[in-house]
Amino acid sequence: MKDYIDCEAQKTVEDGIPLMRPLFIDFKDDKRVNEIADQLMFGFQILVAPIVIAKQFERKVYLPKGQTWIEFYTKEETIG
């Protein structure tokens, strides 16, 4: 993870795009992301959808359109 963070931090320095950012910055063509306030991108490859309610163990996640998403633990691929 350290190498990924270092690489993405360097892109932040060069391009000025924040390391952690709302989805609408990366997915301008997907109007649905404008409504999503509880998910974010961490760099260009990691979508974060935190669980912030005690004793909650799962949640729905919106996957922006036009991308292939890979679930971190299972490596299952899904098209957004």
Side-chain angles (χ1 to χ4, degrees):
M1 202 65 200
K2 182 185 179 315
D3 290 338
Y4 175 77
I5 293 170
D6 288 344
C7 181
E8 294 301 314
Q10 183 62 39
K11 289 178 189 175
T12 295
V13 170
E14 294 169 358
D15 302 335
I17 298 174
L19 182 61
M20 294 179 12
R21 56 191 175 270
L23 297 177
F24 63 78
I25 290 177
D26 291 299
F27 305 101
K28 295 174 179 69
D29 295 334
D30 188 341
K31 300 301 179 199
R32 177 105 190 271
V33 299
N34 294 332
E35 305 164 10
I36 299 172
D38 63 348
Q39 293 179 206
L40 60 103
M41 291 301 295
F42 182 69
F44 287 95
Q45 297 180 5
I46 298 176
L47 184 141
V48 179
I51 294 176
V52 296
I53 299 171
K55 297 184 182 180
Q56 181 180 355
F57 299 100
E58 61 185 26
R59 62 164 285 173
K60 290 187 178 186
V61 175
Y62 178 74
L63 301 175
K65 305 245 183 276
Q67 300 291 316
T68 299
W69 297 96
I70 302 172
E71 204 282 336
F72 184 80
Y73 294 107
T74 66
K75 308 299 185 224
E76 179 182 342
E77 292 187 14
T78 303
I79 304 294

Coordinates of all heavy atoms in Angstrom, one line a residue:
M1 N 0.8 -1.2 0.0 CA 0.0 0.0 0.0 C 0.9 1.3 0.0 O 0.5 2.3 -0.6 CB -0.9 -0.1 1.2 CG -2.2 0.7 1.3 SD -3.4 0.2 0.1 CE -4.3 1.7 0.1
K2 N 2.0 1.2 0.6 CA 2.9 2.3 0.7 C 3.3 2.8 -0.7 O 3.3 4.0 -0.9 CB 4.1 2.0 1.6 CG 5.0 3.2 1.7 CD 6.3 2.9 2.5 CE 7.3 4.0 2.6 NZ 7.5 4.9 1.5
D3 N 3.7 1.9 -1.6 CA 4.1 2.3 -2.9 C 2.9 3.0 -3.6 O 3.1 4.0 -4.4 CB 4.6 1.1 -3.7 CG 5.9 0.5 -3.2 OD1 6.6 1.3 -2.5 OD2 6.2 -0.6 -3.5
Y4 N 1.7 2.5 -3.5 CA 0.6 3.1 -4.1 C 0.4 4.5 -3.6 O 0.2 5.4 -4.3 CB -0.7 2.2 -3.8 CG -2.0 2.9 -4.4 CD1 -2.3 2.8 -5.7 CD2 -2.9 3.5 -3.5 CE1 -3.4 3.4 -6.2 CE2 -4.0 4.1 -4.0 CZ -4.3 4.0 -5.3 OH -5.5 4.6 -5.8
I5 N 0.4 4.7 -2.3 CA 0.2 6.0 -1.7 C 1.3 7.0 -2.1 O 1.0 8.1 -2.5 CB 0.2 5.9 -0.1 CG1 -1.1 5.1 0.3 CG2 0.2 7.3 0.5 CD1 -1.1 4.7 1.8
D6 N 2.6 6.5 -2.2 CA 3.6 7.4 -2.6 C 3.4 7.8 -4.1 O 3.6 9.0 -4.4 CB 5.0 6.6 -2.5 CG 5.5 6.5 -1.1 OD1 5.0 7.2 -0.2 OD2 6.4 5.6 -0.9
C7 N 3.0 6.9 -4.9 CA 2.8 7.2 -6.3 C 1.6 8.2 -6.5 O 1.7 9.2 -7.2 CB 2.5 5.9 -7.1 SG 2.2 6.2 -8.8
E8 N 0.5 7.9 -5.8 CA -0.6 8.8 -5.9 C -0.4 10.2 -5.2 O -0.8 11.2 -5.7 CB -1.9 8.1 -5.2 CG -2.3 6.9 -5.9 CD -2.7 7.1 -7.4 OE1 -3.5 8.1 -7.6 OE2 -2.3 6.3 -8.2
A9 N 0.4 10.2 -4.2 CA 0.8 11.5 -3.6 C 1.6 12.3 -4.5 O 1.5 13.5 -4.6 CB 1.6 11.3 -2.3
Q10 N 2.5 11.7 -5.3 CA 3.3 12.4 -6.3 C 2.4 13.0 -7.4 O 2.6 14.1 -7.8 CB 4.3 11.5 -6.9 CG 5.3 12.1 -7.9 CD 6.1 13.3 -7.3 OE1 6.5 13.1 -6.1 NE2 6.2 14.4 -8.0
K11 N 1.4 12.2 -7.8 CA 0.4 12.7 -8.8 C -0.3 13.9 -8.2 O -0.6 14.9 -9.0 CB -0.6 11.6 -9.2 CG 0.0 10.5 -10.0 CD -1.1 9.5 -10.3 CE -0.5 8.3 -11.0 NZ -1.5 7.2 -11.2
T12 N -0.6 13.9 -6.9 CA -1.3 15.0 -6.3 C -0.4 16.3 -6.4 O -0.9 17.4 -6.7 CB -1.6 14.7 -4.8 OG1 -2.5 13.7 -4.8 CG2 -2.1 15.9 -4.1
V13 N 0.9 16.1 -6.1 CA 1.8 17.2 -6.2 C 1.9 17.8 -7.6 O 1.8 19.0 -7.9 CB 3.2 16.8 -5.7 CG1 4.2 17.9 -6.0 CG2 3.2 16.5 -4.2
E14 N 1.9 16.9 -8.6 CA 2.1 17.3 -10.0 C 0.8 17.8 -10.6 O 0.9 18.8 -11.4 CB 2.6 16.1 -10.8 CG 3.9 15.6 -10.5 CD 4.3 14.3 -11.1 OE1 3.4 13.7 -11.8 OE2 5.4 13.8 -10.9
D15 N -0.3 17.2 -10.3 CA -1.6 17.6 -11.0 C -2.5 18.5 -10.1 O -3.5 19.0 -10.7 CB -2.4 16.3 -11.4 CG -1.5 15.5 -12.3 OD1 -0.6 16.0 -13.0 OD2 -1.8 14.2 -12.4
G16 N -2.3 18.5 -8.8 CA -3.1 19.2 -7.9 C -4.5 18.6 -7.6 O -5.3 19.2 -7.0
I17 N -4.7 17.3 -8.0 CA -5.9 16.6 -7.7 C -5.7 16.0 -6.3 O -4.7 15.3 -6.1 CB -6.2 15.5 -8.8 CG1 -6.4 16.2 -10.1 CG2 -7.4 14.7 -8.4 CD1 -6.6 15.2 -11.3
P18 N -6.6 16.2 -5.4 CA -6.5 15.7 -4.0 C -6.4 14.1 -4.0 O -7.0 13.5 -4.8 CB -7.8 16.1 -3.3 CG -8.3 17.2 -4.2 CD -7.9 17.0 -5.6
L19 N -5.6 13.6 -3.1 CA -5.5 12.2 -2.9 C -6.8 11.5 -2.6 O -7.2 10.5 -3.2 CB -4.4 11.9 -1.8 CG -4.1 10.4 -1.6 CD1 -3.5 9.8 -2.8 CD2 -3.1 10.3 -0.4
M20 N -7.6 12.1 -1.7 CA -8.9 11.7 -1.3 C -9.9 12.7 -1.9 O -9.8 13.9 -1.6 CB -9.1 11.5 0.2 CG -8.2 10.4 0.7 SD -8.2 10.1 2.5 CE -9.6 11.0 3.1
R21 N -10.8 12.2 -2.7 CA -11.7 13.2 -3.4 C -13.1 12.6 -3.6 O -13.2 11.3 -3.7 CB -11.1 13.6 -4.7 CG -10.7 12.5 -5.6 CD -9.9 12.9 -6.7 NE -9.4 11.8 -7.5 CZ -8.3 11.1 -7.3 NH1 -7.5 11.4 -6.3 NH2 -8.0 10.1 -8.1
P22 N -14.1 13.4 -3.8 CA -15.4 12.9 -4.1 C -15.5 12.3 -5.5 O -14.6 12.6 -6.4 CB -16.3 14.2 -4.1 CG -15.4 15.3 -4.2 CD -14.0 14.9 -3.7
L23 N -16.4 11.4 -5.7 CA -16.5 10.6 -7.0 C -16.7 11.5 -8.2 O -16.2 11.2 -9.3 CB -17.6 9.6 -6.9 CG -17.5 8.5 -5.8 CD1 -18.8 7.7 -5.8 CD2 -16.3 7.7 -6.0
F24 N -17.4 12.6 -8.0 CA -17.7 13.5 -9.2 C -16.4 14.0 -9.9 O -16.5 14.4 -11.0 CB -18.7 14.6 -8.9 CG -18.2 15.6 -7.9 CD1 -17.4 16.6 -8.3 CD2 -18.7 15.5 -6.6 CE1 -17.0 17.6 -7.4 CE2 -18.3 16.5 -5.7 CZ -17.5 17.5 -6.1
I25 N -15.3 14.1 -9.2 CA -14.1 14.6 -9.8 C -13.6 13.6 -10.9 O -13.1 14.0 -12.0 CB -13.0 14.8 -8.8 CG1 -13.4 16.0 -7.9 CG2 -11.6 15.0 -9.4 CD1 -12.4 16.4 -6.8
D26 N -13.7 12.3 -10.6 CA -13.2 11.3 -11.5 C -14.2 10.8 -12.5 O -13.9 10.3 -13.6 CB -12.6 10.1 -10.7 CG -11.4 10.4 -10.0 OD1 -10.4 10.8 -10.7 OD2 -11.3 10.3 -8.8
F27 N -15.5 10.9 -12.2 CA -16.5 10.4 -13.0 C -17.5 11.5 -13.4 O -18.7 11.4 -13.1 CB -17.2 9.2 -12.3 CG -16.3 8.2 -11.8 CD1 -15.8 8.1 -10.5 CD2 -15.8 7.3 -12.7 CE1 -14.9 7.2 -10.1 CE2 -14.8 6.3 -12.3 CZ -14.4 6.3 -11.0
K28 N -17.0 12.4 -14.2 CA -17.8 13.6 -14.6 C -19.0 13.2 -15.5 O -20.0 13.9 -15.5 CB -16.9 14.6 -15.4 CG -15.9 15.2 -14.5 CD -14.9 16.0 -15.4 CE -13.9 16.7 -14.5 NZ -12.9 15.8 -14.0
D29 N -18.9 12.1 -16.2 CA -20.0 11.7 -17.2 C -21.1 10.9 -16.5 O -22.2 10.7 -17.0 CB -19.4 10.9 -18.3 CG -18.5 11.7 -19.2 OD1 -18.7 12.9 -19.2 OD2 -17.6 11.1 -19.8
D30 N -20.9 10.5 -15.2 CA -21.9 9.8 -14.5 C -22.6 10.7 -13.5 O -22.1 11.0 -12.4 CB -21.2 8.6 -13.7 CG -22.2 7.7 -13.1 OD1 -23.4 8.0 -12.9 OD2 -21.8 6.5 -12.7
K31 N -23.8 11.2 -13.9 CA -24.5 12.2 -13.1 C -24.9 11.7 -11.7 O -25.1 12.5 -10.8 CB -25.7 12.7 -13.9 CG -25.4 13.4 -15.2 CD -24.4 14.5 -15.0 CE -24.1 15.2 -16.3 NZ -22.9 16.0 -16.3
R32 N -25.0 10.4 -11.6 CA -25.5 9.8 -10.3 C -24.5 10.1 -9.2 O -24.9 10.2 -8.0 CB -25.7 8.3 -10.5 CG -26.1 7.6 -9.2 CD -27.5 7.2 -9.2 NE -27.9 6.7 -7.9 CZ -27.8 5.5 -7.5 NH1 -27.4 4.5 -8.3 NH2 -28.2 5.2 -6.3
V33 N -23.2 10.2 -9.5 CA -22.2 10.4 -8.5 C -22.3 11.8 -7.8 O -21.8 11.9 -6.6 CB -20.7 10.2 -9.0 CG1 -20.5 8.8 -9.5 CG2 -20.4 11.2 -10.0
N34 N -23.0 12.7 -8.4 CA -23.2 14.0 -7.8 C -24.1 13.9 -6.5 O -24.0 14.7 -5.6 CB -23.9 15.0 -8.7 CG -23.0 15.3 -9.9 OD1 -21.8 15.3 -9.8 ND2 -23.6 15.6 -11.0
E35 N -24.8 12.8 -6.4 CA -25.7 12.6 -5.2 C -25.1 11.8 -4.1 O -25.6 11.6 -3.0 CB -27.0 11.9 -5.7 CG -27.7 12.5 -6.8 CD -28.7 11.6 -7.5 OE1 -28.9 10.5 -6.9 OE2 -29.2 11.9 -8.5
I36 N -23.9 11.3 -4.3 CA -23.2 10.4 -3.4 C -22.2 11.1 -2.5 O -21.2 11.6 -3.0 CB -22.5 9.2 -4.1 CG1 -23.6 8.4 -4.9 CG2 -21.8 8.3 -3.1 CD1 -23.0 7.4 -5.8
A37 N -22.5 11.2 -1.2 CA -21.6 11.9 -0.3 C -20.9 11.0 0.7 O -20.1 11.5 1.4 CB -22.5 12.9 0.5
D38 N -21.2 9.7 0.6 CA -20.5 8.8 1.6 C -19.6 7.8 0.9 O -19.3 6.7 1.5 CB -21.6 8.1 2.4 CG -22.5 7.2 1.6 OD1 -22.5 7.2 0.3 OD2 -23.2 6.4 2.2
Q39 N -19.1 8.0 -0.2 CA -18.1 7.3 -0.9 C -17.1 8.2 -1.5 O -17.4 9.4 -1.7 CB -18.7 6.4 -2.1 CG -19.6 5.4 -1.7 CD -20.2 4.6 -2.9 OE1 -21.3 4.1 -2.8 NE2 -19.5 4.6 -4.0
L40 N -15.8 7.8 -1.6 CA -14.8 8.6 -2.2 C -13.8 7.8 -2.9 O -13.7 6.6 -2.8 CB -14.1 9.4 -1.0 CG -13.5 8.6 0.0 CD1 -11.9 8.6 -0.2 CD2 -13.8 9.1 1.4
M41 N -13.0 8.5 -3.7 CA -11.8 7.8 -4.3 C -10.6 8.1 -3.5 O -10.4 9.3 -3.0 CB -11.6 8.4 -5.8 CG -12.7 8.0 -6.7 SD -12.9 6.2 -6.9 CE -11.3 5.7 -7.7
F42 N -9.7 7.1 -3.4 CA -8.4 7.3 -2.7 C -7.4 7.0 -3.8 O -7.2 5.8 -4.1 CB -8.3 6.3 -1.6 CG -7.0 6.4 -0.8 CD1 -6.7 7.5 0.0 CD2 -6.1 5.4 -0.9 CE1 -5.5 7.6 0.7 CE2 -4.9 5.5 -0.2 CZ -4.6 6.6 0.6
G43 N -6.9 8.1 -4.4 CA -6.1 7.9 -5.6 C -7.0 7.6 -6.8 O -8.2 7.8 -6.7
F44 N -6.4 7.1 -7.8 CA -7.1 6.8 -9.0 C -7.7 5.4 -9.1 O -8.4 5.0 -10.0 CB -6.3 7.1 -10.3 CG -6.1 8.5 -10.5 CD1 -4.9 9.2 -10.0 CD2 -7.0 9.3 -11.2 CE1 -4.7 10.5 -10.2 CE2 -6.8 10.6 -11.4 CZ -5.7 11.3 -10.9
Q45 N -7.3 4.5 -8.1 CA -7.7 3.1 -8.3 C -8.6 2.5 -7.1 O -9.1 1.4 -7.3 CB -6.5 2.2 -8.4 CG -5.7 2.5 -9.6 CD -4.4 1.6 -9.7 OE1 -4.2 0.7 -8.9 NE2 -3.6 1.9 -10.7
I46 N -8.7 3.3 -6.0 CA -9.4 2.7 -4.9 C -10.6 3.5 -4.6 O -10.6 4.7 -4.3 CB -8.5 2.6 -3.6 CG1 -7.3 1.7 -4.0 CG2 -9.2 2.1 -2.4 CD1 -6.2 1.6 -2.9
L47 N -11.8 2.8 -4.6 CA -13.0 3.4 -4.2 C -13.3 3.0 -2.7 O -13.2 1.9 -2.4 CB -14.2 2.9 -5.1 CG -15.5 3.6 -4.8 CD1 -16.3 3.8 -6.1 CD2 -16.4 2.7 -3.9
V48 N -13.5 4.0 -1.9 CA -13.8 3.8 -0.5 C -15.2 4.0 -0.1 O -15.8 5.1 -0.5 CB -12.9 4.7 0.4 CG1 -13.1 4.5 1.9 CG2 -11.4 4.5 0.0
A49 N -15.8 3.1 0.5 CA -17.2 3.2 1.0 C -17.3 2.8 2.4 O -17.6 1.6 2.7 CB -18.1 2.3 0.1
P50 N -17.0 3.7 3.3 CA -16.9 3.3 4.7 C -18.2 3.0 5.4 O -19.3 3.5 4.9 CB -16.3 4.6 5.4 CG -16.6 5.7 4.5 CD -16.7 5.1 3.1
I51 N -18.1 2.1 6.4 CA -19.3 1.8 7.2 C -19.1 2.6 8.5 O -18.1 2.5 9.2 CB -19.4 0.3 7.5 CG1 -19.7 -0.4 6.2 CG2 -20.4 0.1 8.6 CD1 -19.7 -1.9 6.4
V52 N -20.0 3.5 8.8 CA -19.9 4.4 9.9 C -20.9 4.2 11.0 O -21.0 5.0 11.9 CB -19.8 5.9 9.4 CG1 -18.6 6.1 8.6 CG2 -21.1 6.2 8.7
I53 N -21.7 3.2 10.9 CA -22.8 2.9 11.9 C -22.4 1.7 12.7 O -22.0 0.7 12.1 CB -24.1 2.7 11.2 CG1 -24.6 3.9 10.4 CG2 -25.2 2.3 12.2 CD1 -25.7 3.7 9.5
A54 N -22.4 1.9 14.0 CA -22.0 0.8 14.9 C -22.9 -0.5 14.6 O -24.1 -0.4 14.4 CB -22.2 1.2 16.4
K55 N -22.2 -1.6 14.6 CA -22.8 -2.9 14.5 C -23.4 -3.2 13.1 O -24.1 -4.1 12.8 CB -23.9 -3.2 15.5 CG -23.3 -3.2 16.9 CD -24.3 -3.6 17.9 CE -23.7 -3.5 19.3 NZ -24.6 -3.9 20.4
Q56 N -23.0 -2.3 12.1 CA -23.4 -2.5 10.7 C -22.2 -3.2 10.0 O -21.1 -2.9 10.2 CB -23.7 -1.2 10.0 CG -24.1 -1.4 8.6 CD -24.3 0.0 7.9 OE1 -24.3 1.0 8.5 NE2 -24.6 -0.1 6.6
F57 N -22.5 -4.3 9.3 CA -21.4 -5.1 8.7 C -21.4 -5.1 7.2 O -20.6 -5.7 6.6 CB -21.5 -6.5 9.2 CG -21.3 -6.6 10.7 CD1 -22.4 -6.7 11.5 CD2 -20.1 -6.5 11.3 CE1 -22.3 -6.7 12.9 CE2 -19.9 -6.5 12.7 CZ -21.0 -6.6 13.5
E58 N -22.4 -4.5 6.6 CA -22.5 -4.4 5.1 C -23.2 -3.2 4.7 O -23.9 -2.6 5.5 CB -23.1 -5.7 4.5 CG -24.5 -5.9 4.9 CD -25.0 -7.3 4.3 OE1 -24.2 -8.2 4.0 OE2 -26.2 -7.4 4.2
R59 N -23.1 -2.8 3.5 CA -23.8 -1.6 3.0 C -23.9 -1.7 1.5 O -23.1 -2.5 0.8 CB -23.1 -0.3 3.4 CG -21.7 -0.2 2.8 CD -21.1 1.1 2.9 NE -21.7 2.0 1.8 CZ -21.5 3.2 1.7 NH1 -20.7 3.9 2.5 NH2 -22.0 3.9 0.7
K60 N -24.7 -0.9 0.9 CA -24.8 -0.8 -0.6 C -23.7 0.2 -1.1 O -23.4 1.2 -0.4 CB -26.1 -0.3 -1.0 CG -27.2 -1.3 -0.8 CD -28.5 -0.9 -1.4 CE -29.6 -2.0 -1.2 NZ -30.8 -1.6 -1.9
V61 N -23.1 -0.2 -2.2 CA -22.1 0.7 -2.8 C -22.4 0.9 -4.2 O -22.8 0.0 -5.0 CB -20.7 -0.1 -2.7 CG1 -19.6 0.8 -3.4 CG2 -20.3 -0.3 -1.3
Y62 N -22.3 2.2 -4.6 CA -22.6 2.5 -6.0 C -21.3 2.5 -6.8 O -20.3 3.1 -6.4 CB -23.2 3.9 -6.2 CG -23.4 4.3 -7.6 CD1 -24.4 3.8 -8.3 CD2 -22.5 5.2 -8.2 CE1 -24.6 4.1 -9.7 CE2 -22.7 5.6 -9.6 CZ -23.7 5.0 -10.3 OH -23.9 5.3 -11.6
L63 N -21.2 1.7 -7.9 CA -20.0 1.6 -8.7 C -20.3 2.5 -10.0 O -21.1 2.2 -10.8 CB -19.8 0.2 -9.1 CG -19.5 -0.8 -7.9 CD1 -19.4 -2.2 -8.5 CD2 -18.3 -0.4 -7.1
P64 N -19.5 3.6 -10.1 CA -19.7 4.4 -11.3 C -19.6 3.7 -12.6 O -18.9 2.7 -12.7 CB -18.5 5.5 -11.1 CG -18.3 5.5 -9.7 CD -18.5 4.1 -9.2
K65 N -20.3 4.2 -13.5 CA -20.5 3.5 -14.8 C -19.2 3.6 -15.7 O -18.4 4.5 -15.5 CB -21.6 4.2 -15.6 CG -22.9 4.2 -14.9 CD -23.9 3.4 -15.6 CE -25.3 3.5 -14.9 NZ -25.4 2.6 -13.8
G66 N -19.1 2.6 -16.5 CA -18.0 2.6 -17.5 C -16.6 2.0 -17.0 O -15.6 2.2 -17.7
Q67 N -16.6 1.5 -15.8 CA -15.4 1.0 -15.2 C -15.5 -0.5 -14.9 O -16.6 -1.0 -14.6 CB -15.1 1.7 -13.9 CG -14.9 3.2 -14.1 CD -13.6 3.5 -14.8 OE1 -12.6 3.0 -14.6 NE2 -13.8 4.5 -15.8
T68 N -14.4 -1.2 -14.8 CA -14.4 -2.6 -14.3 C -13.9 -2.4 -12.9 O -12.8 -1.9 -12.6 CB -13.5 -3.5 -15.1 OG1 -13.9 -3.6 -16.4 CG2 -13.4 -4.9 -14.5
W69 N -14.7 -2.9 -11.9 CA -14.3 -2.8 -10.5 C -13.9 -4.2 -10.0 O -14.6 -5.2 -10.3 CB -15.5 -2.2 -9.7 CG -15.8 -0.9 -10.1 CD1 -16.8 -0.5 -11.0 CD2 -15.2 0.4 -9.7 NE1 -16.8 0.9 -11.2 CE2 -15.8 1.4 -10.4 CE3 -14.2 0.7 -8.8 CZ2 -15.5 2.7 -10.2 CZ3 -13.8 2.0 -8.7 CH2 -14.5 3.0 -9.4
I70 N -12.9 -4.2 -9.1 CA -12.4 -5.5 -8.6 C -12.6 -5.4 -7.1 O -12.0 -4.5 -6.4 CB -11.0 -5.8 -9.0 CG1 -10.9 -5.8 -10.5 CG2 -10.5 -7.1 -8.3 CD1 -9.4 -5.9 -11.0
E71 N -13.3 -6.3 -6.5 CA -13.5 -6.4 -5.0 C -12.2 -6.8 -4.4 O -11.6 -7.8 -4.8 CB -14.6 -7.4 -4.7 CG -15.3 -7.2 -3.4 CD -14.5 -7.6 -2.1 OE1 -13.6 -8.5 -2.3 OE2 -14.8 -7.0 -1.1
F72 N -11.8 -6.0 -3.4 CA -10.4 -6.2 -2.8 C -10.1 -7.6 -2.3 O -9.1 -8.1 -2.6 CB -10.3 -5.1 -1.7 CG -8.9 -5.1 -1.1 CD1 -7.8 -4.4 -1.8 CD2 -8.6 -5.7 0.1 CE1 -6.6 -4.4 -1.2 CE2 -7.3 -5.7 0.6 CZ -6.3 -5.1 0.0
Y73 N -11.0 -8.1 -1.6 CA -10.8 -9.4 -0.9 C -11.0 -10.6 -1.8 O -10.2 -11.6 -1.8 CB -11.6 -9.6 0.4 CG -11.2 -8.6 1.4 CD1 -12.0 -7.5 1.7 CD2 -10.0 -8.7 2.1 CE1 -11.6 -6.6 2.7 CE2 -9.6 -7.8 3.1 CZ -10.4 -6.7 3.3 OH -10.0 -5.8 4.3
T74 N -12.1 -10.6 -2.6 CA -12.5 -11.8 -3.4 C -11.9 -11.7 -4.8 O -11.9 -12.7 -5.5 CB -14.0 -11.9 -3.5 OG1 -14.5 -10.8 -4.2 CG2 -14.6 -12.0 -2.1
K75 N -11.5 -10.5 -5.2 CA -11.0 -10.3 -6.6 C -12.1 -10.5 -7.7 O -11.8 -10.6 -8.8 CB -9.8 -11.2 -7.0 CG -8.7 -11.2 -5.9 CD -8.1 -9.8 -5.8 CE -6.9 -9.8 -4.9 NZ -6.9 -8.8 -3.9
E76 N -13.3 -10.5 -7.2 CA -14.5 -10.6 -8.1 C -14.6 -9.3 -9.0 O -14.5 -8.2 -8.4 CB -15.8 -10.8 -7.4 CG -17.0 -11.0 -8.2 CD -18.3 -11.1 -7.4 OE1 -18.2 -11.5 -6.2 OE2 -19.3 -10.9 -7.9
E77 N -14.8 -9.4 -10.3 CA -14.9 -8.3 -11.2 C -16.3 -8.0 -11.4 O -17.2 -8.8 -11.6 CB -14.2 -8.5 -12.5 CG -12.7 -8.6 -12.3 CD -12.0 -8.7 -13.7 OE1 -12.6 -8.4 -14.7 OE2 -10.8 -9.0 -13.7
T78 N -16.7 -6.6 -11.4 CA -18.0 -6.2 -11.7 C -17.9 -5.0 -12.6 O -17.0 -4.1 -12.4 CB -18.7 -5.7 -10.4 OG1 -18.7 -6.8 -9.5 CG2 -20.1 -5.2 -10.7
I79 N -18.7 -4.9 -13.6 CA -18.8 -3.7 -14.5 C -19.8 -2.7 -13.9 O -20.9 -3.0 -13.6 CB -19.2 -4.1 -15.9 CG1 -18.3 -5.2 -16.5 CG2 -19.3 -2.9 -16.8 CD1 -16.9 -4.8 -16.8
G80 N -19.3 -1.5 -13.8 CA -20.2 -0.4 -13.2 C -21.1 0.1 -14.2 O -21.1 -0.1 -15.4

